[in-house]
Amino acid sequence: MVFARGTSDKAGFGLIGRAFINSLRWKLRGKTISTYAVDYPASWNFPKSTSQGAQDANRHVQQVAGLCPETKIVLGGMSQGSAVIDLITIGNRRIWFFTPAPLPDTMVNHVAAVAVFGNPSRDRPALGPLTEISPQYGHKAIDLCATGDPYCSTGNNPFAHYSYLWNGMVNEAAMYVARKVLNEEA
């Protein structure tokens, strides 16, 4: 599990990331799950921070795939962390002023699933949900946006951006990812 936390979350996975990983562990009991928190500032300097996160996530995915080629990799992110995952999964497509860091085509079969929450590119012109803008990973992705979340929709409820912990979407994403990891159709 490679997860990128949201803006201003302390280093690590953030609340959403931890809840998602815990839910996934429960659904994949008996399986070994290792985790990696994307190493990036998650700061308000979005272009620099997000691009640094994408480079780190890309590097880690390639390292895991090289060392453990049978490992099924799961990618995830919350808010700005979702943008980090966008930058490595949508190919060499530029998003505004962010620097893409696309995973090499050889990584497609190593990534089993992608789960993002509060994805800021979801409601932007010429972009959209990761499920639509990623030709190689879209069919492996679940892109969740809480009703009213202003960071991923035209909503205006800032509290909705933090509702993933209790609105059922963390569990929904974990169910989706568990099916993908177990090679079941989701």
Side-chain angles (χ1 to χ4, degrees), residues 123-124 145 148-157:
D123 190 46
R124 303 299 181 258
C145 180
D149 185 338
Y151 296 99
C152 57
S153 75
T154 56
N156 60 2
N157 179 358

Side-chain angles (χ1 to χ4, degrees), residues 17 40 46 55 100 134 169:
Y40 83 116
F46 295 118
Q55 291 169 4
S134 177
M169 289 184 170

Side-chain angles (χ1 to χ4, degrees), residues 134-155:
S134 177
Q136 293 184 304
Y137 297 93
H139 70 284
K140 299 177 179 192
I142 185 167
D143 187 327
L144 297 166
C145 180
T147 302
D149 185 338
Y151 296 99
C152 57
S153 75
T154 56

